[in-house]
Amino acid sequence: QVQLVESGGGLVQPGRSLRLSCAASGIIFRAYGILWYRQAPGKQRELVASISSGGSTYYTDSVKGRFTISRDNSRNTVYVQMNSLKPEDTAVYYCNAHCSNFLCTSGSDYWGQGTQVTVSS
């Protein structure tokens, strides 16, 4: 019923850009904060960026100034524009939706299947 589908990953050279998308269905999208995590081989899962139901954004220090998260509630989609990509950005990127207000059940949490981003020469 609930689906989060990530897209936009791929193989790029360092310094280039990608835009990831997270498209949701089966939830009241505007009620959820959306978080992007990534996990590289041998590393712990890391919160990369998030955007609240009200539009407030967060970025981990390593991506500040390079990544921009945004949401289009009319399309039930969140985007992460990733610029100046570095090899250390290589990971599987996962979209997470977390209930953030009264329009959804407190604690509701959903995950997508992930999209691979590889930054390599």
Side-chain angles (χ1 to χ4, degrees), residues 50-110:
S50 66
I51 186 164
S52 74
S53 60
S56 298
T57 59
Y58 163 84
Y59 303 93
T60 193
D61 286 345
S62 64
V63 309
K64 286 180 180 176
R66 300 189 297 120
F67 290 12
T68 303
I69 189 168
S70 61
R71 67 190 297 158
D72 184 345
N73 288 338
S74 71
R75 295 183 176 181
N76 287 358
T77 301
V78 165
Y79 305 96
V80 178
Q81 178 67 41
M82 307 190 299
N83 297 328
S84 302
L85 283 163
K86 303 175 180 180
E88 51 263 44
D89 295 318
T90 296
V92 178
Y93 284 71
Y94 296 93
C95 177
N96 168 262
H98 186 81
C99 176
S100 298
N101 67 29
F102 66 93
L103 294 174
C104 51
T105 301
S106 180
S108 295
D109 196 76
Y110 304 100

Side-chain angles (χ1 to χ4, degrees), residues 22-61:
C22 174
S25 60
I27 61 172
I28 303 174
F29 183 75
R30 69 184 186 275
Y32 285 78
I34 306 297
L35 305 90
W36 282 95
Y37 293 84
R38 67 187 180 189
Q39 188 161 24
K43 297 183 66 177
Q44 184 65 271
R45 186 180 65 186
E46 174 189 28
L47 176 62
V48 177
S50 66
I51 186 164
S52 74
S53 60
S56 298
T57 59
Y58 163 84
Y59 303 93
T60 193
D61 286 345

